[in-house]
């Protein structure tokens, strides 16, 4: 496996430019992760991890139940306000159309409705966690 050093340099530059602690790049079967340890120190250490997964080790996960996915990219919130009552909890009954979470995008709070009736089996994201479009956020059984 040959790793392009320019990609590592570019990722390291992004870490410094955007004051990040970690960044990851994936292309086909190559995955490069660059991270800083102890970002408050003046002597910053950058570590690079690269991996190429073997084709026979790729697993597919089977999900039982209905997946509620994020309709947009943003930040997921489990309650309407910090410290407030959560919209859903594992084991709670929910009806189709009921709000399960809020995803904030560009200072707009978007309520995410349940796509099915059922019981909350799993909450797949944490409060304040960034989510991607199409990412599973809740599993309803």
């Amino acid at each position: 496996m040959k790793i392009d050093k320019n990609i590592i340099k570019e990722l390291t530059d992004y870490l410094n430019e955007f004051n990040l602690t970690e960044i990851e790049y994936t292309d086909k079967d190559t995955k490069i992760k660059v991270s800083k340890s102890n970002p408050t120190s003046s002597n910053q250490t950058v570590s690079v991890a690269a991996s190429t997964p073997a084709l026979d080790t790729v697993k597919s996960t089977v999900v039982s139940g209905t997946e509620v996915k994020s309709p947009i990219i943003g930040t997921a919130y489990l309650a309407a306000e910090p410290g407030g009552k959560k919209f859903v909890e594992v084991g709670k009954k929910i009806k189709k159309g009921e709000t399960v979470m809020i995803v904030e995008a560009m200072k707009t709070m978007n309520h995410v409705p349940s796509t099915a009736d059922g019981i909350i089996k799993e909450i797949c994201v944490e409060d304040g966690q960034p989510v991607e479009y199409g990412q599973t956020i809740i599993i309803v059984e």
Side-chain angles (χ1 to χ4, degrees), residues 1-81:
M1 170 178 72
K2 178 141 174 90
I3 299 174
D4 186 359
K5 293 178 184 175
N6 292 329
I7 293 174
I8 295 171
K9 168 113 177 69
E10 191 172 335
L11 292 173
T12 304
D13 291 343
Y14 286 144
L15 280 178
N16 295 327
E17 181 180 347
F18 298 111
N19 199 21
L20 302 172
T21 56
E22 184 175 286
I23 192 167
E24 192 172 297
Y25 169 80
T26 305
D27 181 36
K28 295 181 185 171
D29 59 348
T30 302
K31 180 177 175 182
I32 299 172
K33 181 177 177 181
V34 180
S35 61
K36 287 184 198 177
S37 61
N38 195 4
T40 58
S41 170
S42 61
N43 296 332
Q44 295 178 347
T45 306
V46 176
S47 63
V48 177
S51 66
T52 306
L55 294 177
D56 58 337
T57 61
V58 176
K59 295 180 185 176
S60 69
T61 46
V62 178
V63 177
S64 65
T66 304
E67 296 179 5
V68 177
K69 299 182 183 238
S70 176
I72 55 174
I73 295 172
T75 303
Y77 294 106
L78 303 178
E81 58 187 30

Side-chain angles (χ1 to χ4, degrees), residues 84-94 100 119-123 138:
K85 184 179 179 229
K86 293 182 179 179
F87 292 110
V88 293
E89 293 183 21
V90 175
K92 180 184 172 190
K93 279 189 175 183
I94 192 162
V100 295
I119 297 174
I120 302 298
K121 179 180 176 187
E122 183 180 350
I123 299 173
I138 301 276

